[in-house]
Amino acid sequence: MDFRLTPAQEEFGKGFTAWLEKNLPENWDTSRHNTFDSWEKEAEAHRRFNKRLFDAGYAGMHYPKEYGGQGKTLMEEVIVLETLASTCFELKIAGIITFGMAVPTIFVCGTEEQKREFISKALDGSHIWCQGFSEPNAGSDVVNVSTRAVKENGHYIVNGQKIWTSFAHIADYCILLVRTDPKAPKHKGLSYLLMDMKLPGIDVRPITQITGASEFNEVFMEDVRVPAEMLVGREGDGWRIAITTLMFERAVGDAVMGGLFVRNIRNMIHMARHMKRSGRPIIQDPVFRQQLAQAYIDVKILKSHGYRALSQLLKGGLPGPEGSISKLLWSESNQRICERALNMQGPSSQLMRGSPWAIQDGMWQHLFLRSKGNTIEAGTSEIQRNIIGERVLGLPKDISRVSRQKEI
Amino acid sequence: MDVTLTREQTEIVRQVRRFLDNESPMKYVRAMFDDQRGFSDRLWAGIAEMGWTAMRLPEEFSGLNMPFVDLCLVLEEMGRALLPGPFFSTVLLAADALVQAGTPAQKAKYLPGIAEGKIRGTLALYEPDSGADPGYVRMAAEFNGNEFVLSGTKLFVPDVQCANFIVVAARTAPACDSTKAISLFCVDLPDERVSIAPLRTMDGTRKLFAVEFRDVRVGEESVLGQLHEGWSSLRPVLQRAQVGICADSVGAAQKSMEMAADYAKIRIQFDQPIGAYQAVKHRCAQMFEAVESARSLMYWAAWAQDEADPQEAALAASSAKSYCCEVGTSVSTSAIQVLGATGFSWEHDIHLFLKRAKANEMVLGDPVYHREQVALILAG
């Protein structure tokens, strides 16, 4: 058992950190959460920064060179992502779907043409992807997707509506789950398409979320003609591929989010040294100290657990039971950390960005609100616990779900 | 970086589980729970024969010199089986203190016997005013020019009823800084000036005692490690023992979770197994999350004791001690809830797991103490 990186990996990490210091956007503050004035600026910063990473040989470390990757292992990729998360997480947010879902799915399930067409363009920042899974009647029950795709003269004609589609307003492409066979059992009638967001018939309407920002959207599709070669896998394979996609999203989450939390804890300590309660620095408050320690322990759980899951993957294994709790771990610990940081501020916790007396320019207020989405997006905590209960612990499904499955 | 078990380590786990399934089934655990001595010589001899008392001892003293992680894997299985007896006191406390600080003569005197299962020891640390702080030592050892004279009361001394010697922490200098004031002594037992009184405890798998020292005289050859610097010797020993207790708690929590999940599959209420209800299913899933998180943290802490720098080792031990032991308690508590009235009965084994977990949570620093240790390192 060894939690240490090899000397070569250490060296690689140091090299990357040194490169990063010189290549962050101007006036970038690595100690805190940076914000952008508009989505256009955020998308632009994301593309530009990914191009720099790509040109310097730090994009897609574990993908083969013929697709624009670096031909190294997942470990190098994790080192890069962890370092990015602890210095400039914000620059990568717009690429979460791109790198967490689209690229790995295309790499594993896509055709040779799709791999050549899309992977390197995602890695170099040319393409941003969005995820078209959820619909008004297909949330946690995503197999209920009703957006229709009918094959006609070498195209799929797509009609329907997606919702909670993150980054659709800035995306170039969409991984789209559609129903191609309404007569087949629900989970066998789905297919997985790669849809160009510039095609005619696509209407994107932003939804404002509790932070006041609009990361996600409604996407309406009316007779959108997606070329048939944009099908991933076979017709009817959509559900299996979607599950693969979700597994990837969860696989490297822990280690990467661990990087982000390291920065958050540094920030908490900084705040606690400068803020006072009854005139005394909060850092001396025994209750705060307990919470700080627990936040640190949360980070260490993420990191040690992430390394354990990663070790399995590196040895060629599938994500084991330890992989199935990753999503729960990072989402719930992020909420706890944000909650603690906010509570430290007392009445100042009410002050939003731009307010006089706002602490760290209201960054924690934003993070606190944004964290509430963590236990909903990418599979709610409740769905995760069903998966663990049923697939890992072998507990039975409830009667209503059993009988419904018999019907279909 | 490779956080997986090697083939050899997987084999160790398999061996320990098979041995304990046969030699220490719940029937034996229950018998020892009520027994004053708390273990059988036959089982202790078996444990020594398997080499587990010798795992961490140097080769020149009949030891196997194995990594600390390997011992933690054994301890995890022992926790799973609720193994009763003096393994914790002898191996994690007394023997480890000797390995850490003993002179060659002291090591030669005790270690080969420990390896062979013929000698057992323990550590006397806590005092009536210590509370949850294992570092609060006030008992005096006064030097009369010839010998040290130990007087005072030690509490919560584990398994001293069967110990051949006791490592005692006492003050030899008036310094406020405990790192410059405490010394360790080896006191052979029985000694007519040492009296022991059993404490009636919630957990019966490890016996605890109050130990009274009445002018116990020991020579300089009994000082373990540097005079006045006993705390520095003891700290890494306590850290390892804390991580060992974490492994025990992880094993006990794993078994508690399995008992609850197995029951949830077969207990029918309202026409379906209770595990089909999300209220129960999610409770079980949360047990799984807690156990796996605790195991990952324990692996890190176990690895760090041998391999990381002292600060990381200390951070890891305290992080794990607070978290893993809280998980031990919460998972066994949750298991009782899933088991319902059955789980509340004396007849079902689950209460034994709760009791061991609670004892683990409080031994060698409670979670609040350890979180403060983490905060001290992080923020001063």
Side-chain angles (χ1 to χ4, degrees), chain A residues 1-5 9 75 269 273 283 289-290 292-294 296-297 300-301 304-305 307-308 310-312 314-315 321 324-325 328-329 382 385-386 388-390 392-399 401, chain B residues 1-5 9 69 257 261 264-265 271-273 275-276 278 281-282 284-286 288-289 292-293 295-297 299-300 303 307 315 319 322-323 326 367-368 371-372 374-376 378-380:
Chain A
M1 193 170 292
D2 193 354
F3 281 80
R4 231 182 327 236
L5 302 180
Q9 289 163 346
M75 192 65 227
I269 296 176
R273 287 196 205 285
I283 198 102
R289 293 169 70 82
Q290 290 285 310
L292 171 68
Q294 190 57 53
Y296 173 82
I297 292 167
K300 283 302 175 181
I301 290 169
S304 53
H305 195 78
Y307 274 14
R308 207 173 132 211
L310 185 61
S311 300
Q312 292 286 350
L314 286 168
K315 286 194 159 176
S324 65
I325 70 170
L328 287 160
L329 278 185
E382 288 70 23
R385 294 200 163 103
N386 280 351
I388 292 169
E390 290 163 18
V392 182
L393 297 175
L395 297 172
K397 292 188 172 178
D398 74 34
I399 282 177
R401 278 165 64 217
Chain B
M1 194 277 300
D2 179 10
V3 189
T4 54
L5 302 190
Q9 287 171 327
V69 169
M257 173 187 76
K265 287 173 204 170
D271 303 325
Q272 63 176 352
Q278 285 187 325
K281 183 179 289 169
H282 288 188
C284 293
Q286 280 173 310
F288 179 80
E289 293 158 53
E292 289 299 331
S293 300
R295 183 172 284 126
S296 297
L297 201 58
Y299 282 168
W300 169 53
W303 167 83
E307 301 290 339
L315 268 170
S319 297
S322 74
Y323 183 78
E326 280 186 341
V368 172
R371 281 191 290 266
E372 175 56 24
V374 170
L376 265 176
L378 292 181

Side-chain angles (χ1 to χ4, degrees), chain B residues 105-306:
Chain B
Q106 288 167 334
K107 288 178 180 168
K109 180 176 171 187
Y110 298 108
L111 295 185
I114 290 173
E116 290 162 29
K118 289 178 181 145
I119 292 179
R120 289 176 293 267
T122 189
L123 173 72
L125 188 59
Y126 280 94
E127 297 176 11
D129 291 336
S130 304
D133 181 356
Y136 187 91
V137 173
R138 290 297 179 275
M139 184 177 129
E142 283 180 21
F143 190 58
N144 63 12
N146 223 342
E147 302 156 310
F148 290 91
V149 184
L150 281 66
S151 290
T153 303
K154 291 287 187 181
L155 286 183
F156 312 116
V157 183
D159 288 308
V160 71
Q161 82 286 7
C162 62
N164 306 88
F165 71 102
I166 184 168
V167 176
V168 187
R171 288 202 158 239
T172 44
C176 293
D177 181 356
S178 62
T179 59
K180 295 186 178 71
I182 294 171
S183 303
L184 302 176
F185 301 90
C186 286
V187 177
D188 289 324
L189 297 177
D191 183 312
E192 58 181 15
R193 290 171 180 274
V194 177
S195 55
I196 67 171
L199 303 172
R200 193 166 169 265
T201 50
M202 192 187 283
D203 171 38
T205 60
R206 294 188 205 106
K207 310 299 179 189
L208 296 180
F209 295 82
V211 180
E212 192 75 36
F213 295 83
R214 293 183 314 275
D215 296 338
V216 175
R217 288 155 204 282
V218 291
E220 278 175 279
E221 75 286 354
S222 296
V223 176
L224 188 56
Q226 293 288 311
L227 196 63
H228 312 318
E229 289 181 14
W231 186 246
S232 309
S233 308
L234 205 50
R235 195 153 45 189
V237 175
L238 292 180
Q239 275 176 207
R240 285 188 288 265
Q242 284 150 359
V243 179
I245 286 289
C246 293
D248 189 275
S249 273
V250 168
Q254 171 77 33
K255 180 71 183 172
S256 304
M257 173 187 76
E258 289 173 14
M259 285 192 283
D262 288 347
Y263 183 75
K265 287 173 204 170
I266 55 161
R267 170 70 176 165
I268 311 280
Q269 287 288 276
F270 306 104
D271 303 325
Q272 63 176 352
I274 58 169
Y277 298 109
Q278 285 187 325
V280 176
K281 183 179 289 169
H282 288 188
R283 186 184 277 283
C284 293
Q286 280 173 310
M287 290 187 221
F288 179 80
E289 293 158 53
V291 171
E292 289 299 331
S293 300
R295 183 172 284 126
S296 297
L297 201 58
M298 180 270 284
Y299 282 168
W300 169 53
W303 167 83
Q305 299 314 307
D306 275 349

Side-chain angles (χ1 to χ4, degrees), chain A residues 329-360:
Chain A
L329 278 185
W330 73 253
S331 58
E332 297 191 350
S333 52
N334 192 36
Q335 288 180 347
R336 283 195 298 273
I337 288 172
C338 291
E339 183 101 34
R340 287 185 182 115
L342 205 68
N343 290 352
M344 280 171 65
Q345 300 180 4
S348 302
S349 64
Q350 302 166 91
L351 304 178
M352 302 297 286
R353 185 174 182 215
S355 167
W357 295 91
I359 303 205
Q360 298 188 343

Side-chain angles (χ1 to χ4, degrees), chain A residues 177 187 190-192 232 234-243:
Chain A
L177 202 55
H187 60 288
L190 297 176
S191 297
Y192 199 108
V232 180
R234 284 192 302 269
E235 249 185 50
D237 255 358
W239 180 237
R240 187 183 58 79
I241 294 168
I243 287 185

Side-chain angles (χ1 to χ4, degrees), chain A residues 116-296:
Chain A
R116 291 196 185 278
E117 171 78 15
F118 292 117
I119 296 177
S120 70
K121 282 189 185 138
L123 295 178
D124 74 7
S126 308
H127 289 170
I128 291 175
W129 287 73
C130 64
Q131 178 201 1
F133 283 20
S134 296
E135 295 181 6
N137 290 317
S140 285
D141 190 9
V142 70
V143 80
N144 213 28
V145 158
S146 66
T147 292
R148 277 284 274 139
V150 180
K151 199 169 175 184
E152 208 179 274
N153 300 331
H155 284 79
Y156 285 98
I157 316 298
V158 179
N159 280 285
Q161 183 200 345
K162 295 288 172 184
I163 194 168
W164 320 124
T165 314
S166 296
F167 312 116
H169 54 306
I170 53 169
D172 305 280
Y173 279 88
C174 177
I175 44 176
L176 189 71
L177 202 55
V178 292
R179 187 160 301 282
T180 40
D181 185 356
K183 294 198 189 80
K186 271 190 177 175
H187 60 288
K188 290 198 173 146
L190 297 176
S191 297
Y192 199 108
L193 296 177
L194 309 176
M195 179 174 77
D196 185 341
M197 290 297 284
K198 285 183 289 295
L199 288 173
I202 300 175
D203 182 19
V204 177
R205 300 180 199 164
I207 304 172
T208 305
Q209 58 209 40
I210 65 173
T211 55
S214 306
E215 261 173 71
F216 49 37
N217 306 268
E218 291 179 287
V219 177
F220 295 88
M221 289 152 291
E222 200 184 332
D223 294 330
V224 179
R225 295 170 62 83
V226 178
E229 58 270 23
M230 291 295 115
L231 175 73
V232 180
R234 284 192 302 269
E235 249 185 50
D237 255 358
W239 180 237
R240 187 183 58 79
I241 294 168
I243 287 185
T244 313
T245 310
L246 290 169
M247 267 173 51
F248 283 118
E249 193 184 30
R250 284 159 203 167
V252 277
D254 281 354
V256 175
M257 294 306 276
L260 171 64
F261 295 171
V262 166
R263 183 175 80 174
N264 286 349
I265 288 202
R266 275 202 310 261
N267 250 306
M268 273 174 88
I269 296 176
H270 179 81
M271 237 186 336
R273 287 196 205 285
H274 292 88
M275 291 193 62
K276 291 183 176 160
R277 188 180 190 115
S278 314
R280 274 203 315 274
I282 290 181
I283 198 102
Q284 294 168 9
D285 176 58
V287 175
F288 167 74
R289 293 169 70 82
Q290 290 285 310
Q291 295 191 345
L292 171 68
Q294 190 57 53
Y296 173 82

Side-chain angles (χ1 to χ4, degrees), chain A residues 62-64 67 101-112 114-115 119 232-233 240-241 244-245 248 318:
Chain A
H62 59 308
Y63 290 114
Y67 304 131
M101 303 181 87
V103 173
T105 302
I106 293 168
F107 178 63
V108 174
C109 306
T111 63
E112 188 58 31
Q114 289 166 350
K115 290 188 219 179
I119 296 177
V232 180
R240 187 183 58 79
I241 294 168
T244 313
T245 310
F248 283 118
L318 290 168

